[in-house]
Amino acid sequence: MAGCQEGRKAGNNPMIVLSGLDLHEIEKITDELKASKFRARQIHNWIYLKSVKSIDEMTDLSVKFREQLKDVAAVTDTKIKVKQESADGTLKYLLEYPDGECVETVLMRFDNRANLTACVSSQVGCAVNCSFCATGKRGFIRNLTYKEIIEQVLTIQRDTGLKVTNVVFMGQGEPLLNLDNVLKAMEIFNENFQIGARRLTVSTSGIIPGIERLAELDMQSTLAISLHAPNHEVRRKLMKIEDKYSMPELKKALKTYIEKTGRRITIEYLLIKDLNDTLGSVKELVSYLHDLKCNVNLIPYNPTEKNDYQKPSNNSIMRFKSLLEQSGKKVTVRLERGADIDAACGQLSGKVKN
Ligand code: SAH
Ligand code: SF4
């Protein structure tokens, strides 16, 4: 990317990366360069609203000032290592940060809708290690900083020239185990990208202390819970985290969350053939959810690497859906986006494939 090549004249001083800086931080740079605060506002707009790839594209700054800026700063230090486009228009990026670690980010476009949804990663790998998930197989490598999280959306915007309207934390990693960075990134999405709180979704495997913190903060974004099972026994087979934060405790935390925030939550339920898609499972699930203010999102299992799980038939998915609907819940079935490029839920490993 052009931005990576900028500002090499700076000798031994490390480059300042403009992506991810707030207005105040950009003002510090313009102050140093003895420019007016208005220049900082212009730079801020170029980064967040016009998604430029290089300082040279900031055409309302004088050529002389651009040269000065290039001496100390660059737009980004993140590289697009691989980009894939699915037949349905979904884009998947493998991004490389300066330390060589990579994560995947997905842009989903839905027909007939103006929404452009970025599915971002919050960690490299994941410690939770759910048995059905490709990210979990990698183990935990490191947290992403808030700048690295927002860089994913900026990269999409720079590359496509499009404005992302919604962000879901459903890429690699467990957002509630990197909550400080996730919260800061959400604040920046809100203030700098002008993406409303209601257009942000945080998905978690059910980290109770994190849910409690979000309740205290009165979070107005959507909280999605990866429940995936109707009872303790099935859940612990799928998600080891159930041994630490079990379904009854989780429910207590969710009730408090709903009371404090007044928000409806989303329950994500992975459907795996003969494991949790049976008639008995729907009954148990209905009973667990009956007093929770929630919508349910059914996710047909996406086959990843070696395990014995299978996706249920369409008939079985529809039967599960309609039985759940009869209990009064609003139920959606997640559309499989980008399956042909391994961009569907749970398929993001972030491993560099040669
Ligand atoms: N760690 C968080 C967010 C990232 S995973 C969480 O677990 O909620 C985003 C969603 O993808 C979760 O609901 C997760 O359970 C689901 N997922 C993981 N592997 C999957 C697979 N193979 N098929 C379908 N969904 C999967
Ligand atoms: Fe981690 Fe979520 Fe995958 Fe579980 S499903 S291993 S919590 S990324």
Side-chain angles (χ1 to χ4, degrees):
M1 281 180 290
C4 298
Q5 302 307 317
E6 284 176 343
R8 294 293 178 220
K9 290 176 242 162
N12 294 328
N13 290 338
M15 275 294 115
I16 301 168
V17 175
L18 296 172
S19 282
L21 300 186
D22 61 24
L23 187 59
H24 184 65
E25 289 167 318
I26 300 177
E27 279 172 1
K28 279 194 194 147
I29 304 171
T30 50
D31 285 352
E32 287 270 312
L33 296 176
K34 312 240 175 314
S36 75
K37 295 222 182 309
F38 181 63
R39 299 281 165 260
R41 165 60 64 193
Q42 288 172 305
I43 296 168
H44 188 271
N45 282 348
W46 283 114
I47 296 292
Y48 292 103
L49 300 180
K50 298 181 194 157
S51 307
V52 287
K53 291 183 180 162
S54 69
I55 291 171
D56 281 328
E57 287 171 58
M58 301 181 181
T59 48
D60 56 2
L61 303 177
S62 71
V63 174
K64 186 168 164 233
F65 180 65
R66 276 185 256 157
E67 289 304 318
Q68 286 175 329
L69 189 59
K70 275 156 56 180
D71 276 346
V72 295
V75 168
T76 183
D77 57 2
T78 303
K79 288 189 206 139
I80 298 176
K81 212 166 159 84
V82 183
K83 175 183 169 186
Q84 287 171 279
E85 179 157 9
S86 155
D88 64 26
T90 302
L91 292 173
K92 181 174 85 166
Y93 296 91
L94 181 69
L95 302 185
E96 185 183 20
Y97 296 116
D99 70 349
E101 288 299 348
C102 295
V103 294
E104 279 161 324
T105 297
V106 176
L107 177 70
M108 294 170 284
R109 319 178 212 209
F110 296 98
D111 299 337
N112 312 321
R113 280 199 249 162
N115 289 355
L116 283 177
T117 301
C119 174
V120 299
S121 297
S122 55
Q123 299 180 316
V124 184
C126 181
V128 181
N129 196 10
C130 303
S131 62
F132 48 80
C133 173
T135 306
K137 297 277 165 294
R138 272 192 87 183
F140 173 70
I141 297 171
R142 73 170 173 83
N143 279 333
L144 295 183
T145 63
Y146 69 88
K147 288 186 183 172
E148 288 172 327
I149 295 172
I150 69 167
E151 193 57 44
Q152 296 170 48
V153 174
L154 283 171
T155 301
I156 290 175
Q157 294 195 159
R158 281 196 296 266
D159 185 62
T160 59
L162 301 168
K163 177 90 178 63
V164 167
T165 60
N166 297 56
V167 177
V168 294
F169 285 84
M170 293 187 185
Q172 289 162 244
E174 171 45 61
L176 298 201
L177 292 179
N178 185 18
L179 195 48
D180 286 340
N181 283 303
V182 166
L183 286 170
K184 178 79 181 159
M186 288 169 78
E187 186 188 312
I188 297 176
F189 286 138
N190 205 212
E191 289 170 9
N192 295 4
F193 291 70
Q194 294 163 10
I195 301 177
R198 302 280 164 105
R199 291 178 173 269
L200 302 172
T201 299
V202 183
S203 173
T204 178
S205 56
I207 309 294
I208 292 179
I211 296 170
E212 289 169 345
R213 194 165 155 208
L214 294 178
E216 272 159 35
L217 291 171
D218 194 15
M219 182 176 82
Q220 289 303 301
S221 298
T222 302
L223 178 64
I225 304 293
S226 294
L227 188 68
H228 301 338
N231 62 44
H232 176 72
E233 286 312 312
V234 175
R235 193 163 196 260
R236 63 195 293 268
K237 265 191 212 154
L238 295 172
M239 306 175 77
K240 279 196 293 196
I241 197 81
E242 171 69 13
D243 283 334
K244 192 160 184 195
Y245 302 120
S246 69
M247 284 176 69
E249 287 174 67
L250 178 61
K251 184 158 165 181
K252 245 192 251 165
L254 293 176
K255 284 188 120 176
T256 309
Y257 175 88
I258 292 165
E259 246 165 58
K260 284 230 167 126
T261 60
R263 302 275 296 143
R264 186 178 296 276
I265 60 168
T266 300
I267 296 290
E268 296 165 282
Y269 191 95
L270 187 65
L271 277 172
I272 301 175
K273 185 168 181 240
D274 299 334
L275 187 83
N276 63 0
D277 68 337
T278 59
L279 210 58
S281 299
V282 197
K283 282 190 187 150
E284 277 186 286
L285 183 62
V286 166
S287 148
Y288 185 79
L289 298 181
H290 85 277
D291 53 352
L292 277 183
K293 190 170 135 189
C294 64
N295 296 328
V296 184
N297 191 208
L298 298 175
I299 315 174
Y301 169 68
N302 285 314
T304 55
E305 285 160 35
K306 303 151 214 135
N307 62 42
D308 297 334
Y309 302 140
Q310 283 171 16
K311 188 176 156 175
S313 67
N314 282 346
N315 273 351
S316 153
I317 296 170
M318 286 310 141
R319 185 191 61 173
F320 200 94
K321 178 174 187 269
S322 86
L323 289 172
L324 208 49
E325 278 169 338
Q326 282 168 28
S327 76
K329 298 288 178 206
K330 187 174 160 219
V331 187
T332 46
V333 178
R334 183 169 300 170
L335 284 176
E336 208 177 23
R337 313 296 300 180
D340 54 336
I341 54 166
D342 286 354
C345 258
Q347 294 183 328
L348 306 182
S349 74
K351 274 187 268 182
V352 183
K353 292 163 194 132
N354 294 313

